[in-house]
Amino acid sequence: MKNAGKVLIKDNEKGSAIVIALLVLALMSVFVALAMSRSSTEAMAVGNETSESRTFYAAQGSLESMTRNFNKIFERRLNPTAGELSAVRTTLPVGITGYAFTQEDPLQVSTRQVIPIPAGPYAGLNAIRDAWRLRTTVTDNSTGTEIQLTRNIFNNRIPIFQFGVFYDDDLELFNGPKFAFGGRVHSNRHFFLHPSANGADFDSRVTAVGHIVTQTKRNGDTVNITSAMTRIKNASGVYTQLLPTEGSVLNGTPNVFTPDPQLPSSRINANWAADSAKFDGNLQSQVPLLKLPLNIGNNSDLIELVKRGKRAPASPAGGDLNNNNGTVEPVTTGATGTEDSPIVSSERFYNKTGLRISLADSQAKLPGCASGVGQTPITVTPPARCGVRLDGGITGRGPVPTAPTPTPTPERARGYQPKPMRSVGGGAFDYVPTRVNGERLHTGGTREVWIKVETVRTDSATGNVITVDVTEDFLSLGVTEQPSLASGLNIQTGGYTENPIGSSITATGVQSPAGGTDSRSIFKLQRWVIPGPNIPVGVTPALTSYGTAPNTFNIVRRYTAVGASDVNVLAGCTAVCLGDDIDPNGWSNENLGHLKRADYAGNTNVAVVPFPIKMFDTREGFYYDTRSTTYYTSLTQLPRNGVMSLVDIDVANLRRFFRGDFNGLFPVDTPLAVSKGGVGMVNADIPLDQGWVLYVSDRRGDANFDGEFDMEDVYGAAPGNDGIIQPGEDLDGPGRFGNGILDAAYGTETERYNTNTVTPDLAAVNDHRYFRRGVRLINGQTLPGGYDSATPANTRGFTLATENGVYVRGNYNATGVATVPATGNTPFSDFLPFNTALHIPASIVGDAVTILSNNWNDAQSFSSAVTPPYNQSLRPATTTQMRFAMIAGDTITSLTATPHQGGGDARLNGGVHNFKRFLENWGASGGQRLDYTGSLINLYSSRNSNGTFKCCGTVYSPPQRNWVFDATFLDPNRIPPGTPFFQYVQTTGFLRTNN
């Protein structure tokens, strides 16, 4: 039994072993199967992970490529065009194969958000931010793996007018009276801070790329350095004194300015870190350079902001001319071409949205009027025209009038007749502007006078500048200044054929100064009278003075007995009737084509003619700050350099035009009207972008066509003009360091100070051949535009920009001030009107800006220069209010001790406290104020108004400077149109997304 049992057990064990073995084999099979399945899954997973990683890297490469191409756009312009955005999408990454790329157009997800900059060189300033989204989806062609990546990019634009004071060059302050302007202050070079004991206060951050120099003026003068009083607010808002011994450099050696010999000797202040620390970061030296796009993209001289553009012809006709190393030739394209790059084109005020007005000595020199082959002007036939000739035939285009016959006719007089407009409420075209007196604009020889007026806008899809010629439409408003009511002069609207000299005066046709002929003129080239004191006359008088003070005025007149024939009048005409005081042997028909009957105080046998608008600028005209035979050969005649030929911009009439007051009144037979189906121009035809930019370029007399007055020879031993380059003379090179050539185009663009002078009366009524041109703003108390308090982004502003010098006469964008504190300045919020619809964001951009008070008149500028020689008290200023930001240039301070310009502050450029220039005696009657609020931006050396700074014996005495930074500019929605921006592009990280 035992054995049986054992066998049984063995049999049972054998069966169990088989079962166990089978189970083990089964389990092993499962384990093998599981192992094999796991290996396969892991292999598959590893393969999937590899594909995803590679697709991810491909997507990252796509996104980085898009980012690079997108950021490159901002090296060319502030805002991308539709075409450029499309190019970002269609430009695929190079060298990545096996993948399908779906790149989306960059999407603007937000626009014009106003955000503060938290850190960096722009910390504390407000920016206009546009947010953009870049997105790409990449698919692996072999596995179908798909990855999508998204990135946000912020385009921050910081308006330059958020600075109270910004200088791209050395900033100088050596004020006598206290200076406390306000706002952030920055110099892209050095800050020479040398106020008097009256002091200078700064309530915001003060920075310089170079040094803060407190012991030496820019010209090396160290007089009274211990009395300087400078205070700067710290982070707690407490004014803290900066002592003269606490600048970043101090007097002595070794000279930290050794690379620049035109700066005084200085050494590093070893205690500067501690000295500057007490201002909590509000006083810094050697900070990063702040660059505008024009610097970043092209390293261009910032003077290009105000110069004319350069465009190559799109066909055999068109295009511009350009001065290329002294040769005037067509603009070209290509690697060595002279055409503007996209960034230069977009930054020029010439191309900003609005209107531009250009004048030149030939049709070919007008914008878009060069042939592109040689310099032959375009043959213009209606309706394809290119500007209007002002000193040619009556139609503004050929033929040129011929010499008079024994029976002269008006058609043979030089001068364009603007087209007529309708009177308000009338059906007839009976508003006939005064004809241009081309006799007095023509300067002899082959030179002509051409003008072109264009609307300007930028195509958002291509970035191309689109212009429309509206010359004839715009000139129909008139080009003549009306006589003032105070003058009492009534002028017949008719001319030779309608109202011969011998006819009697009647009420019919008498001009009404309140609303008759020329009452709509915006762009003014000529006038009938010069209000003010008697202008001294030469041996053969060119002017006659009328009236008694204060209603005195000067006119060009001819007498004839009632009933006398016009031939007798013509026979009595002397050389002063003719068009050019330089070339008096030419012929003239102005007595018949331009003479108008007039009456004054019952005197009915007076005949007058319109004449160019001129004034005398003593800073530009005088070599030295005194009048003596040491410097001038004649004390009864004027240096021609100071005789400025002006175009006046009547801002009040411009405002009427922009708001539509003249809609329905314009001519209907111009090319523009024909293109609109016979409908005259309306205000909506003028493009706008946050308002309007009016750009003016007057290059009459610019012989080499470079937009610069070629007379740098401003220093030298008496009587000056010695032909030797002196420090401070060479202006027209890259940056502000000159090109090593002393430009002095005597006899063509300029004359010497003491030769070829002219009597005041001839200077006042005839144009000259020289490049002495300026743009003057008049009647500007209320500007075009409007402030929208409900939606500030809809606010409309106004900017005047020009490559010429700018003169601003009388109240501008302000009616007064609410307070004048006993100490300190009027707050910006007390300039009137404030925060109303008439509080207009405004800027003035030019070669230089000269302030003329409410009391200025041109007759004083001519008479005070010679009777007696010289007496600035004959040009008394009165308190005047102005509100605008300004971009302009200045001259260069000279370190050399002699020669200099005489008067006070020898060899200096006037400093920021004289950045706005003056020509009057503001010290009269106990001291007159200039109440000013705005922003002071200095970006280049003046190339046209380059007369040296002179004060205070003959040119002017300074005003009480009631000046303050306009803090409304800190709101980017309230900046003037065309404002330059600093560009700050922020690229963020990227995210993996899934639509």
Side-chain angles (χ1 to χ4, degrees):
M1 293 290 300
K2 181 177 179 180
N3 290 337
K6 287 182 180 178
V7 171
L8 181 60
I9 293 171
K10 286 183 179 179
D11 291 340
N12 291 340
E13 285 179 351
K14 290 179 180 179
S16 298
I18 294 171
V19 170
I20 292 170
L22 291 173
L23 288 174
V24 169
L25 288 173
L27 287 173
M28 288 180 63
S29 299
V30 170
F31 291 150
V32 171
L34 287 173
M36 293 178 63
S37 174
R38 181 176 180 182
S39 297
S40 176
T41 300
E42 287 182 351
M44 184 181 298
V46 169
N48 288 342
E49 183 177 342
T50 302
S51 175
E52 185 169 342
S53 297
R54 294 180 61 179
T55 306
F56 181 89
Y57 293 136
Q60 187 177 3
S62 170
L63 187 63
E64 296 301 332
S65 175
M66 293 179 70
T67 301
R68 182 180 64 255
N69 293 331
F70 184 70
N71 285 344
K72 281 183 177 180
I73 297 174
F74 297 107
E75 296 177 4
R76 302 189 296 270
R77 65 181 81 252
L78 290 170
N79 294 294
T81 66
E84 288 169 328
L85 296 179
S86 178
V88 172
R89 171 179 57 83
T90 58
T91 304
L92 302 180
V94 177
I96 304 178
T97 59
Y99 298 91
F101 296 92
T102 304
Q103 299 181 160
E104 301 177 15
D105 278 346
L107 176 66
Q108 190 169 10
V109 296
S110 67
T111 180
R112 294 192 63 84
Q113 289 182 321
V114 178
I115 58 100
I117 301 295
Y122 303 111
L125 299 176
N126 294 321
I128 298 174
R129 169 177 286 182
D130 297 338
W132 295 83
R133 187 194 73 192
L134 302 184
R135 176 172 289 171
T136 183
T137 303
V138 179
T139 305
D140 187 329
N141 293 333
S142 62
T143 66
T145 304
E146 184 177 274
I147 299 292
Q148 183 183 83
L149 298 180
T150 298
R151 164 175 282 158
N152 292 322
I153 294 180
F154 301 121
N155 176 26
N156 302 301
R157 290 161 291 157
I158 303 166
I160 197 170
F161 295 137
Q162 289 200 11
F163 286 87
V165 177
F166 182 96
Y167 268 52
D168 196 56
D169 190 32
D170 293 317
L171 170 56
E172 302 175 48
L173 180 65
F174 48 88
N175 53 298
K178 187 166 185 170
F179 186 89
F181 184 64
R184 185 164 172 171
V185 176
H186 176 81
S187 168
N188 260 351
R189 206 159 125 87
H190 308 292
F191 187 1
F192 289 85
L193 183 54
H194 196 285
S196 70
N198 294 311
D201 287 351
F202 301 92
D203 64 5
S204 190
R205 182 173 295 184
V206 177
T207 54
V209 173
H211 286 288
I212 308 294
V213 186
T214 54
Q215 291 187 325
T216 310
K217 294 182 183 179
R218 173 73 165 74
N219 65 354
D221 185 5
T222 60
V223 177
N224 294 325
I225 59 171
T226 58
S227 66
M229 172 65 73
T230 303
R231 300 191 310 164
I232 303 170
K233 282 186 177 180
N234 61 22
S236 300
V238 177
Y239 276 113
T240 304
Q241 185 175 1
L242 174 69
L243 297 174
T245 56
E246 295 177 334
S248 65
V249 294
L250 305 175
N251 289 349
T253 56
N255 187 7
V256 299
F257 297 135
T258 299
D260 190 342
Q262 292 307 309
L263 290 169
S265 296
S266 295
R267 60 184 172 84
I268 296 293
N269 175 9
N271 296 321
W272 170 242
D275 292 338
S276 61
K278 63 183 180 180
F279 301 101
D280 302 323
N282 281 348
L283 177 65
Q284 300 180 36
S285 67
Q286 297 182 295
V287 301
L289 191 72
L290 302 185
K291 288 187 175 184
L292 290 167
L294 200 62
N295 295 124
I296 298 170
N298 288 67
N299 198 29
S300 298
D301 190 328
L302 292 177
I303 193 70
E304 297 299 329
L305 282 169
V306 297
K307 282 196 173 185
R308 282 195 193 182
K310 304 172 186 177
R311 185 186 241 175
S315 63
D320 300 324
L321 295 182
N322 169 59
N323 180 324
N324 189 13
N325 296 320
T327 301
V328 180
E329 60 185 30
V331 173
T332 56
T333 59
T336 60
T338 54
E339 185 174 50
D340 286 342
S341 68
I343 192 168
V344 172
S345 177
S346 65
E347 289 296 290
R348 290 194 192 275
F349 279 90
Y350 171 88
N351 290 325
K352 300 297 184 182
T353 302
L355 274 173
R356 71 180 178 211
I357 304 173
S358 307
L359 292 101
D361 291 335
S362 70
Q363 185 188 35
K365 291 180 179 178
L366 291 176
C369 295
S371 67
V373 180
Q375 298 178 34
T376 305
I378 299 171
T379 301
V380 290
T381 56
R385 301 170 185 170
C386 208
V388 162
R389 183 175 179 183
L390 296 175
D391 68 334
I394 197 169
T395 63
R397 54 191 185 279
V400 176
T402 57
T405 64
T407 306
T409 61
E411 287 73 19
R412 290 189 177 176
R414 292 178 178 271
Y416 170 65
Q417 173 61 65
K419 290 181 175 295
M421 297 176 69
R422 288 188 175 95
S423 296
V424 176
F429 286 89
D430 54 358
Y431 173 92
V432 183
T434 298
R435 185 180 176 189
V436 176
N437 189 347
E439 305 302 338
R440 290 180 180 269
L441 291 182
H442 184 65
T443 56
T446 59
R447 281 180 47 184
E448 303 170 355
V449 180
W450 284 81
I451 185 172
K452 187 177 185 183
V453 184
E454 303 164 276
T455 65
V456 183
R457 68 177 179 87
T458 300
D459 187 294
S460 60
T462 65
N464 293 333
V465 177
I466 308 299
T467 63
V468 176
D469 188 335
V470 296
T471 309
E472 293 181 276
D473 312 83
F474 190 78
L475 296 186
S476 68
L477 295 162
V479 296
T480 309
E481 172 71 23
Q482 284 185 302
S484 66
L485 288 168
S487 72
L489 181 71
N490 287 321
I491 298 172
Q492 295 279 3
T493 58
Y496 168 69
T497 55
E498 301 89 352
N499 185 26
I501 297 299
S503 66
S504 61
I505 293 290
T506 65
T508 303
V510 173
Q511 174 176 294
S512 167
T517 300
D518 304 321
S519 62
R520 304 170 185 172
S521 299
I522 296 171
F523 176 83
K524 300 180 178 182
L525 275 173
Q526 59 186 16
R527 57 185 168 192
W528 298 99
V529 303
I530 308 177
N534 299 352
I535 295 177
V537 299
V539 175
T540 305
L543 282 173
T544 300
S545 301
Y546 270 122
T548 56
N551 294 326
T552 53
F553 64 95
N554 304 267
I555 62 173
V556 176
R557 65 164 185 166
R558 296 291 174 270
Y559 280 106
T560 179
V562 175
S565 70
D566 300 310
V567 174
N568 291 337
V569 175
L570 185 61
C573 184
T574 61
V576 295
C577 299
L578 306 180
D580 178 28
D581 63 294
I582 305 297
D583 181 20
N585 299 316
W587 62 273
S588 171
N589 265 336
E590 74 174 14
N591 279 18
L592 299 177
H594 302 290
L595 216 61
K596 297 288 188 294
R597 288 299 303 268
D599 69 80
Y600 175 76
N603 187 341
T604 58
N605 60 351
V606 176
V608 297
V609 293
F611 49 87
I613 299 173
K614 313 296 276 295
M615 62 167 276
F616 186 73
D617 185 324
T618 49
R619 171 170 172 159
E620 293 300 308
F622 291 153
Y623 161 67
Y624 208 72
D625 194 39
T626 187
R627 287 282 283 169
S628 75
T629 54
T630 303
Y631 304 102
Y632 308 99
T633 57
S634 172
L635 299 184
T636 60
Q637 296 192 1
L638 302 175
R640 294 180 184 273
N641 280 347
V643 180
M644 309 302 294
S645 178
L646 301 180
V647 293
D648 279 353
I649 303 298
D650 191 317
V651 179
N653 281 345
L654 183 64
R655 180 169 180 261
R656 295 169 65 197
F657 170 52
F658 281 150
R659 74 185 181 191
D661 289 14
F662 306 133
N663 288 355
L665 307 179
F666 280 94
V668 295
D669 59 345
T670 67
L672 174 67
V674 171
S675 70
K676 295 173 61 180
V679 178
M681 183 167 67
V682 296
N683 66 326
D685 290 326
I686 312 302
L688 61 85
D689 181 8
Q690 308 301 123
W692 305 268
V693 173
L694 175 62
Y695 178 85
V696 182
S697 167
D698 188 350
R699 288 194 177 181
R700 289 175 292 164
D702 184 10
N704 63 354
F705 201 62
D706 63 353
E708 300 182 3
F709 177 50
D710 292 329
M711 211 296 277
E712 297 179 333
D713 195 7
V714 294
Y715 291 121
N721 306 132
D722 60 1
I724 302 172
I725 295 183
Q726 310 284 346
E729 288 185 325
D730 190 6
L731 299 170
D732 62 346
R736 298 200 180 192
F737 301 101
N739 59 3
I741 300 172
L742 183 67
D743 295 318
Y746 296 126
T748 54
E749 292 191 15
T750 181
E751 288 289 355
R752 290 175 169 82
Y753 289 115
N754 68 330
T755 60
N756 205 4
T757 55
V758 61
T759 59
D761 57 335
L762 281 176
V765 297
N766 294 313
D767 203 3
H768 51 66
R769 67 181 63 176
Y770 304 109
F771 189 34
R772 297 273 68 193
R773 309 290 167 178
V775 177
R776 183 164 61 181
L777 295 165
I778 63 174
N779 301 328
Q781 182 167 284
T782 303
L783 304 188
Y787 168 55
D788 188 335
S789 58
T791 310
N794 291 337
T795 295
R796 301 287 180 259
F798 174 65
T799 292
L800 181 282
T802 176
E803 62 182 354
N804 305 109
V806 182
Y807 298 85
V808 190
R809 190 181 76 190
N811 282 10
Y812 193 82
N813 198 27
T815 58
V817 291
T819 63
V820 181
T823 59
N825 296 333
T826 296
F828 73 95
S829 55
D830 279 358
F831 280 73
L832 305 176
F834 182 75
N835 277 358
T836 73
L838 299 182
H839 180 179
I840 312 298
S843 65
I844 296 174
V845 183
D847 185 73
V849 175
T850 300
I851 304 300
L852 306 175
S853 78
N854 287 315
N855 199 48
W856 172 271
N857 68 64
D858 295 340
Q860 289 177 338
S861 74
F862 289 110
S863 61
S864 65
V866 295
T867 57
Y870 166 76
N871 189 347
Q872 70 174 349
S873 67
L874 297 179
R875 299 191 309 277
T878 55
T879 292
T880 302
Q881 287 83 37
M882 296 184 173
R883 174 170 47 196
F884 61 88
M886 64 175 281
I887 296 175
D890 61 3
T891 54
I892 301 176
T893 290
S894 170
L895 185 61
T896 302
T898 57
H900 58 79
Q901 78 279 16
D905 303 320
R907 309 182 306 284
L908 292 168
N909 67 7
V912 65
H913 48 298
N914 288 298
F915 184 39
K916 293 184 292 295
R917 304 182 184 190
F918 307 102
L919 297 174
E920 296 169 272
N921 180 17
W922 291 80
S925 303
Q928 302 296 307
R929 299 191 320 272
L930 174 62
D931 302 322
Y932 168 81
T933 181
S935 172
L936 305 174
I937 311 297
N938 183 325
L939 297 182
Y940 37 79
S941 296
S942 298
R943 307 297 171 84
N944 288 310
S945 300
N946 63 354
T948 57
F949 167 73
K950 305 174 186 72
C951 183
C952 299
T954 61
V955 175
Y956 79 101
S957 64
Q960 295 182 30
R961 297 182 179 94
N962 183 27
W963 299 359
V964 65
F965 170 60
D966 187 349
T968 62
F969 291 142
L970 294 177
D971 179 356
N973 288 317
R974 298 184 65 176
I975 57 175
T979 296
F981 291 88
F982 296 103
Q983 187 99 335
Y984 179 38
V985 178
Q986 292 175 281
T987 301
T988 68
F990 57 84
L991 296 173
R992 182 169 178 176
T993 55
N994 184 17
N995 271 346

